[in-house]
Amino acid sequence: MSDLRDLYQEVILDHNREPRNFCCPPNANREARGDNPLCGDKVTIYLTLEDGVVKDIGFQGRGCAISVASASLMTEMIKGKTAAEAQALFRRFQASMTGEEEVGGTDDLDKLAVLSGVREFPMRVKCATLSWHTLAAALEDAAEKKISTETA
Ligand code: ZN
């Protein structure tokens, strides 16, 4: 198990050092902002949504390694998915973070297993799920596009 944890740690540090899709896509037509005041994480998610498919996705912001790595992993995973697939993945990821469901079973959830270590730390769960809540708001095109972990 410790080897696995080291591997997870490495993936998180790598994504934190070099976040993927850390940009605003030129044709973005949706955006939402997320805020986790307990940790100081802030993230803005940009989507190019066409015909119900996430053609492009990017994020900007700053925060702890967990929040940045989680957003980076998420953007890699969501690009090319339909809005419905993205929402379904969000729900399963959230369930796995709150311990209702084991992570794994699909390639995508297996990739997210690197974040499973935070389950033992409720404060860090908010860091890991912030970008996903923000993604969900952007997908729904909700009127209120500012997500806060402390008012939801
Ligand atoms: Zn954080």
Side-chain angles (χ1 to χ4, degrees):
M1 188 61 197
S2 67
D3 285 353
L4 195 59
R5 275 188 188 246
D6 289 348
L7 174 71
Y8 286 177
Q9 196 71 25
E10 225 165 89
V11 172
I12 289 169
L13 291 176
D14 175 53
H15 276 266
N16 181 50
R17 232 179 352 244
E18 291 176 51
R20 321 300 196 264
N21 305 304
F22 194 76
C23 58
C24 176
N27 299 316
N29 53 15
R30 296 281 182 93
E31 69 172 84
R33 281 191 292 158
D35 186 16
N36 177 14
L38 287 184
C39 180
D41 308 320
K42 288 185 190 300
V43 66
T44 304
I45 303 289
Y46 303 95
L47 298 178
T48 306
L49 196 66
E50 278 171 30
D51 302 324
V53 175
V54 179
K55 299 272 189 199
D56 208 354
I57 180 169
F59 80 102
Q60 285 178 329
R62 59 192 161 77
C64 65
I66 296 286
S67 70
V68 172
S70 178
S72 173
L73 281 161
M74 181 187 79
T75 58
E76 282 196 316
M77 205 163 281
I78 292 301
K79 199 183 280 191
K81 284 202 165 38
T82 67
E85 286 167 342
Q87 294 277 20
L89 196 57
F90 163 56
R91 281 191 295 271
R92 291 196 63 188
F93 176 63
Q94 200 182 14
S96 75
M97 281 292 125
T98 53
E100 291 166 32
E101 197 174 327
E102 248 341 282
V103 187
T106 69
D107 286 353
D108 285 335
L109 284 166
D110 286 344
K111 280 181 207 146
L112 292 174
V114 297
L115 294 165
S116 60
V118 308
R119 272 190 292 191
E120 293 155 46
F121 310 97
M123 293 278 290
R124 305 329 291 270
V125 169
K126 292 180 178 178
C127 302
T129 54
L130 176 68
S131 56
W132 287 85
H133 282 287
T134 311
L135 167 72
L139 285 170
E140 281 162 14
D141 206 15
E144 182 53 74
K145 296 245 200 51
K146 272 182 77 182
I147 301 300
S148 173
T149 54
E150 299 316 302
T151 55

Coordinates of all heavy atoms in Angstrom, one line a residue, residues 82-143:
T82 N -19.8 14.1 -23.1 CA -21.0 14.8 -23.1 C -21.3 15.4 -21.7 O -20.7 15.0 -20.7 CB -22.2 13.9 -23.4 OG1 -22.4 13.0 -22.4 CG2 -22.0 13.2 -24.7
A83 N -22.1 16.4 -21.7 CA -22.5 17.1 -20.4 C -23.0 16.0 -19.4 O -22.7 16.0 -18.2 CB -23.5 18.2 -20.6
A84 N -23.8 15.1 -19.9 CA -24.4 14.1 -19.1 C -23.4 13.1 -18.5 O -23.4 12.8 -17.3 CB -25.5 13.3 -19.9
E85 N -22.4 12.7 -19.4 CA -21.3 11.9 -18.9 C -20.5 12.6 -17.8 O -20.1 12.0 -16.8 CB -20.4 11.5 -20.1 CG -21.0 10.4 -21.0 CD -20.3 10.3 -22.3 OE1 -19.5 11.2 -22.6 OE2 -20.5 9.3 -23.0
A86 N -20.3 13.9 -18.0 CA -19.5 14.6 -17.1 C -20.2 14.7 -15.8 O -19.5 14.6 -14.7 CB -19.2 16.0 -17.7
Q87 N -21.5 15.0 -15.8 CA -22.3 15.1 -14.5 C -22.3 13.7 -13.8 O -22.2 13.7 -12.6 CB -23.7 15.5 -14.8 CG -23.9 16.9 -15.4 CD -23.9 18.0 -14.3 OE1 -23.4 17.7 -13.2 NE2 -24.4 19.2 -14.6
A88 N -22.4 12.7 -14.6 CA -22.4 11.3 -14.0 C -21.1 11.0 -13.3 O -21.1 10.5 -12.2 CB -22.7 10.3 -15.0
L89 N -20.0 11.4 -14.0 CA -18.7 11.2 -13.4 C -18.5 12.0 -12.1 O -17.9 11.5 -11.1 CB -17.6 11.5 -14.4 CG -16.2 11.0 -14.2 CD1 -16.2 9.5 -14.0 CD2 -15.3 11.5 -15.3
F90 N -19.0 13.2 -12.1 CA -19.0 14.1 -11.0 C -19.7 13.4 -9.8 O -19.1 13.4 -8.7 CB -19.6 15.5 -11.3 CG -20.0 16.3 -10.1 CD1 -19.0 16.6 -9.1 CD2 -21.3 16.7 -9.9 CE1 -19.4 17.4 -8.0 CE2 -21.6 17.5 -8.8 CZ -20.7 17.8 -7.9
R91 N -20.9 12.9 -10.0 CA -21.6 12.3 -8.9 C -20.9 11.1 -8.4 O -20.9 10.9 -7.2 CB -23.0 11.9 -9.4 CG -24.0 13.1 -9.5 CD -25.4 12.7 -9.7 NE -25.6 12.1 -11.0 CZ -25.9 12.7 -12.1 NH1 -26.0 14.0 -12.1 NH2 -26.0 12.1 -13.2
R92 N -20.3 10.3 -9.3 CA -19.6 9.1 -8.8 C -18.3 9.5 -8.0 O -18.0 8.8 -7.0 CB -19.3 8.1 -9.9 CG -20.5 7.5 -10.5 CD -20.2 6.3 -11.3 NE -19.6 5.2 -10.6 CZ -19.1 4.2 -11.1 NH1 -19.1 4.0 -12.4 NH2 -18.5 3.2 -10.4
F93 N -17.7 10.5 -8.5 CA -16.4 10.9 -7.8 C -16.8 11.5 -6.4 O -16.1 11.1 -5.5 CB -15.7 12.0 -8.7 CG -14.5 12.6 -8.0 CD1 -13.4 11.8 -7.7 CD2 -14.5 13.9 -7.7 CE1 -12.3 12.3 -7.1 CE2 -13.4 14.5 -7.0 CZ -12.3 13.7 -6.7
Q94 N -17.9 12.2 -6.4 CA -18.3 12.8 -5.1 C -18.7 11.7 -4.1 O -18.3 11.7 -3.0 CB -19.5 13.7 -5.3 CG -19.7 14.7 -4.2 CD -20.9 15.6 -4.4 OE1 -21.7 15.3 -5.3 NE2 -21.0 16.6 -3.7
A95 N -19.4 10.7 -4.6 CA -19.8 9.6 -3.8 C -18.6 8.8 -3.3 O -18.5 8.4 -2.1 CB -20.7 8.6 -4.6
S96 N -17.6 8.7 -4.1 CA -16.4 8.0 -3.7 C -15.6 8.8 -2.7 O -15.0 8.2 -1.7 CB -15.5 7.7 -4.9 OG -14.8 8.8 -5.3
M97 N -15.6 10.1 -2.8 CA -14.9 11.0 -1.8 C -15.6 11.0 -0.5 O -15.0 11.2 0.6 CB -14.8 12.4 -2.3 CG -13.8 12.6 -3.4 SD -12.1 12.4 -2.7 CE -11.5 11.2 -3.8
T98 N -16.9 10.8 -0.4 CA -17.6 10.8 0.8 C -17.7 9.3 1.4 O -18.4 9.1 2.4 CB -19.0 11.4 0.7 OG1 -19.7 10.8 -0.4 CG2 -18.9 12.9 0.4
G99 N -17.1 8.4 0.7 CA -17.0 7.1 1.2 C -18.2 6.2 0.8 O -18.3 5.1 1.3
E100 N -19.1 6.7 0.0 CA -20.3 5.9 -0.3 C -20.0 4.9 -1.3 O -20.7 3.9 -1.5 CB -21.4 6.8 -0.8 CG -22.0 7.8 0.2 CD -22.8 8.9 -0.5 OE1 -23.4 8.6 -1.5 OE2 -22.9 10.0 0.1
E101 N -18.9 5.1 -2.1 CA -18.7 4.2 -3.2 C -17.2 4.1 -3.3 O -16.4 5.0 -3.1 CB -19.2 4.9 -4.5 CG -19.4 3.9 -5.6 CD -20.1 4.6 -6.8 OE1 -20.9 5.5 -6.6 OE2 -19.7 4.3 -8.0
E102 N -16.7 2.9 -3.7 CA -15.3 2.6 -3.9 C -15.0 3.3 -5.2 O -15.7 3.2 -6.2 CB -15.1 1.1 -4.0 CG -14.2 0.5 -2.9 CD -13.4 1.4 -2.1 OE1 -12.3 1.8 -2.5 OE2 -13.8 1.7 -0.9
V103 N -13.8 3.9 -5.3 CA -13.3 4.5 -6.5 C -12.9 3.3 -7.4 O -12.3 2.3 -6.9 CB -12.1 5.4 -6.3 CG1 -11.8 6.1 -7.6 CG2 -12.5 6.5 -5.3
G104 N -13.1 3.4 -8.7 CA -12.7 2.4 -9.6 C -13.8 1.8 -10.4 O -14.9 2.1 -10.2
G105 N -13.4 0.9 -11.2 CA -14.5 0.2 -12.0 C -14.5 0.7 -13.4 O -14.7 -0.1 -14.3
T106 N -14.1 1.9 -13.7 CA -14.0 2.4 -15.0 C -12.6 3.1 -15.1 O -12.0 3.4 -14.1 CB -15.0 3.5 -15.4 OG1 -14.8 4.7 -14.7 CG2 -16.4 3.0 -15.1
D107 N -12.1 3.3 -16.3 CA -10.8 3.9 -16.5 C -10.7 5.2 -15.8 O -9.7 5.6 -15.2 CB -10.4 4.0 -18.0 CG -10.1 2.7 -18.6 OD1 -10.0 1.7 -17.8 OD2 -9.9 2.6 -19.8
D108 N -11.8 6.0 -16.0 CA -11.8 7.4 -15.5 C -11.7 7.4 -14.0 O -11.0 8.1 -13.3 CB -13.1 8.1 -15.9 CG -12.9 8.5 -17.4 OD1 -11.8 8.7 -17.9 OD2 -14.0 8.7 -18.0
L109 N -12.6 6.5 -13.4 CA -12.6 6.5 -11.9 C -11.3 5.9 -11.4 O -10.8 6.3 -10.3 CB -13.8 5.6 -11.4 CG -15.1 6.4 -11.5 CD1 -16.3 5.5 -11.3 CD2 -15.2 7.5 -10.4
D110 N -10.6 5.0 -12.1 CA -9.4 4.5 -11.7 C -8.3 5.6 -11.6 O -7.5 5.7 -10.7 CB -8.9 3.4 -12.6 CG -9.6 2.1 -12.4 OD1 -10.3 2.0 -11.3 OD2 -9.6 1.2 -13.3
K111 N -8.4 6.5 -12.6 CA -7.4 7.6 -12.6 C -7.7 8.5 -11.5 O -6.7 9.1 -10.9 CB -7.6 8.4 -13.9 CG -6.9 7.8 -15.1 CD -7.1 8.7 -16.4 CE -7.0 7.8 -17.6 NZ -7.9 8.3 -18.7
L112 N -8.9 8.7 -11.1 CA -9.3 9.5 -9.9 C -8.9 8.9 -8.6 O -8.9 9.6 -7.6 CB -10.7 9.9 -9.9 CG -11.2 10.8 -11.1 CD1 -12.7 11.0 -11.1 CD2 -10.5 12.1 -11.0
A113 N -8.6 7.6 -8.6 CA -8.2 6.9 -7.4 C -7.0 7.6 -6.7 O -6.8 7.4 -5.5 CB -7.9 5.5 -7.6
V114 N -6.2 8.3 -7.5 CA -5.0 9.0 -6.9 C -5.4 10.0 -5.8 O -4.6 10.3 -5.0 CB -4.1 9.7 -7.9 CG1 -3.5 8.7 -9.0 CG2 -4.9 10.8 -8.6
L115 N -6.7 10.4 -5.9 CA -7.1 11.4 -4.9 C -7.8 10.7 -3.7 O -8.2 11.4 -2.8 CB -8.1 12.3 -5.6 CG -7.5 13.3 -6.6 CD1 -8.6 13.9 -7.5 CD2 -6.6 14.3 -6.0
S116 N -7.9 9.4 -3.7 CA -8.7 8.7 -2.7 C -8.1 8.9 -1.3 O -8.8 8.7 -0.3 CB -8.9 7.2 -3.1 OG -7.6 6.6 -3.1
G117 N -6.8 9.2 -1.2 CA -6.2 9.3 0.1 C -6.7 10.4 0.9 O -6.6 10.4 2.1
V118 N -7.4 11.4 0.2 CA -7.9 12.6 1.0 C -9.2 12.2 1.7 O -9.6 13.0 2.6 CB -8.1 13.8 0.1 CG1 -6.9 14.2 -0.8 CG2 -9.4 13.6 -0.8
R119 N -9.7 11.1 1.4 CA -11.0 10.7 2.1 C -10.9 10.7 3.6 O -11.8 11.0 4.3 CB -11.5 9.3 1.6 CG -12.3 9.4 0.4 CD -12.9 8.1 0.1 NE -11.9 7.1 -0.3 CZ -12.2 5.9 -0.8 NH1 -13.5 5.5 -0.9 NH2 -11.3 5.1 -1.1
E120 N -9.7 10.4 4.1 CA -9.5 10.4 5.5 C -9.4 11.8 6.1 O -9.4 12.0 7.3 CB -8.2 9.7 5.8 CG -8.2 8.2 5.5 CD -6.8 7.6 5.2 OE1 -5.9 7.9 6.0 OE2 -6.7 6.9 4.2
F121 N -9.4 12.8 5.3 CA -9.3 14.2 5.7 C -10.4 15.0 5.2 O -10.2 15.6 4.1 CB -7.9 14.8 5.3 CG -6.7 13.9 5.7 CD1 -6.2 13.0 4.7 CD2 -6.2 13.9 6.9 CE1 -5.1 12.2 5.0 CE2 -5.1 13.1 7.3 CZ -4.6 12.2 6.3
P122 N -11.5 15.2 5.9 CA -12.7 15.9 5.4 C -12.3 17.3 4.8 O -12.9 17.7 3.8 CB -13.6 16.0 6.6 CG -13.2 14.9 7.5 CD -11.7 14.6 7.2
M123 N -11.4 18.0 5.4 CA -11.0 19.3 4.9 C -10.5 19.2 3.5 O -10.7 20.1 2.7 CB -9.9 19.9 5.8 CG -10.4 20.3 7.2 SD -11.2 21.9 7.2 CE -9.9 23.0 6.9
R124 N -9.7 18.2 3.3 CA -9.1 18.0 1.9 C -10.1 17.5 0.9 O -9.9 17.7 -0.3 CB -7.9 17.1 2.0 CG -6.8 17.4 2.9 CD -6.6 18.8 3.2 NE -6.1 19.6 2.2 CZ -4.8 19.9 1.9 NH1 -3.9 19.3 2.7 NH2 -4.4 20.6 1.0
V125 N -11.1 16.9 1.3 CA -12.2 16.4 0.4 C -12.7 17.6 -0.3 O -13.0 17.6 -1.5 CB -13.3 15.6 1.1 CG1 -14.5 15.4 0.2 CG2 -12.7 14.3 1.6
K126 N -12.9 18.8 0.4 CA -13.4 20.0 -0.2 C -12.4 20.5 -1.3 O -12.8 21.0 -2.3 CB -13.7 21.1 0.8 CG -14.8 20.7 1.7 CD -15.1 21.7 2.8 CE -16.3 21.3 3.6 NZ -16.6 22.2 4.7
C127 N -11.2 20.3 -1.0 CA -10.1 20.8 -2.0 C -10.3 19.9 -3.2 O -10.2 20.4 -4.4 CB -8.7 20.6 -1.4 SG -8.4 21.5 0.1
A128 N -10.5 18.6 -3.1 CA -10.5 17.7 -4.2 C -11.8 17.8 -5.0 O -11.8 17.6 -6.2 CB -10.4 16.2 -3.7
T129 N -12.9 18.2 -4.4 CA -14.2 18.2 -5.1 C -14.5 19.6 -5.6 O -15.5 19.8 -6.4 CB -15.3 17.7 -4.2 OG1 -15.4 18.4 -3.0 CG2 -15.2 16.2 -3.9
L130 N -13.8 20.7 -5.2 CA -14.1 22.0 -5.5 C -14.2 22.2 -7.1 O -15.2 22.8 -7.5 CB -13.0 23.0 -5.0 CG -13.2 24.5 -5.4 CD1 -14.5 25.1 -4.7 CD2 -12.0 25.3 -5.0
S131 N -13.2 21.7 -7.8 CA -13.3 22.0 -9.3 C -14.5 21.2 -9.9 O -15.0 21.7 -10.9 CB -12.0 21.5 -9.9 OG -11.7 20.2 -9.6
W132 N -14.8 20.1 -9.3 CA -16.0 19.3 -9.8 C -17.3 20.0 -9.6 O -18.2 20.0 -10.5 CB -16.0 17.9 -9.2 CG -14.9 17.0 -9.8 CD1 -13.6 17.0 -9.3 CD2 -14.9 16.1 -10.9 NE1 -12.8 16.1 -10.0 CE2 -13.6 15.6 -11.0 CE3 -15.9 15.8 -11.7 CZ2 -13.3 14.6 -12.0 CZ3 -15.7 14.8 -12.7 CH2 -14.4 14.3 -12.8
H133 N -17.5 20.6 -8.4 CA -18.7 21.3 -8.1 C -18.8 22.5 -9.1 O -19.8 22.9 -9.6 CB -18.7 21.9 -6.7 CG -19.0 20.8 -5.7 ND1 -20.3 20.4 -5.5 CD2 -18.3 20.1 -4.8 CE1 -20.3 19.5 -4.6 NE2 -19.1 19.3 -4.1
T134 N -17.6 23.1 -9.3 CA -17.6 24.3 -10.2 C -17.9 23.9 -11.7 O -18.6 24.6 -12.4 CB -16.2 25.0 -10.1 OG1 -15.9 25.2 -8.8 CG2 -16.2 26.3 -10.8
L135 N -17.4 22.7 -12.1 CA -17.7 22.2 -13.4 C -19.2 22.0 -13.5 O -19.8 22.3 -14.5 CB -16.9 20.9 -13.6 CG -17.4 20.0 -14.8 CD1 -16.9 20.7 -16.1 CD2 -16.9 18.6 -14.7
A136 N -19.8 21.4 -12.5 CA -21.2 21.1 -12.6 C -22.0 22.4 -12.7 O -23.0 22.4 -13.5 CB -21.7 20.4 -11.3
A137 N -21.6 23.5 -12.0 CA -22.3 24.7 -12.2 C -22.1 25.3 -13.6 O -23.1 25.8 -14.2 CB -21.7 25.7 -11.2
A138 N -21.0 25.1 -14.2 CA -20.7 25.6 -15.5 C -21.6 24.8 -16.5 O -22.2 25.4 -17.5 CB -19.3 25.5 -15.9
L139 N -21.7 23.5 -16.3 CA -22.5 22.7 -17.2 C -24.0 23.0 -17.1 O -24.7 23.0 -18.1 CB -22.3 21.2 -16.8 CG -20.9 20.6 -17.2 CD1 -20.8 19.2 -16.6 CD2 -20.8 20.5 -18.8
E140 N -24.4 23.3 -15.9 CA -25.8 23.6 -15.7 C -26.2 24.9 -16.2 O -27.4 25.3 -16.3 CB -26.2 23.4 -14.2 CG -26.4 22.0 -13.8 CD -26.3 21.8 -12.3 OE1 -26.4 22.8 -11.6 OE2 -26.1 20.6 -11.9
D141 N -25.2 25.8 -16.4 CA -25.5 27.2 -16.8 C -26.4 27.8 -15.7 O -27.3 28.5 -16.0 CB -26.1 27.3 -18.2 CG -25.8 28.6 -18.8 OD1 -24.9 29.3 -18.3 OD2 -26.5 29.0 -19.8
A142 N -26.0 27.5 -14.5 CA -26.8 28.1 -13.4 C -26.7 29.6 -13.3 O -25.7 30.1 -13.8 CB -26.3 27.5 -12.0
A143 N -27.7 30.2 -12.8 CA -27.7 31.7 -12.8 C -26.6 32.1 -11.8 O -25.9 33.1 -12.1 CB -29.1 32.2 -12.3

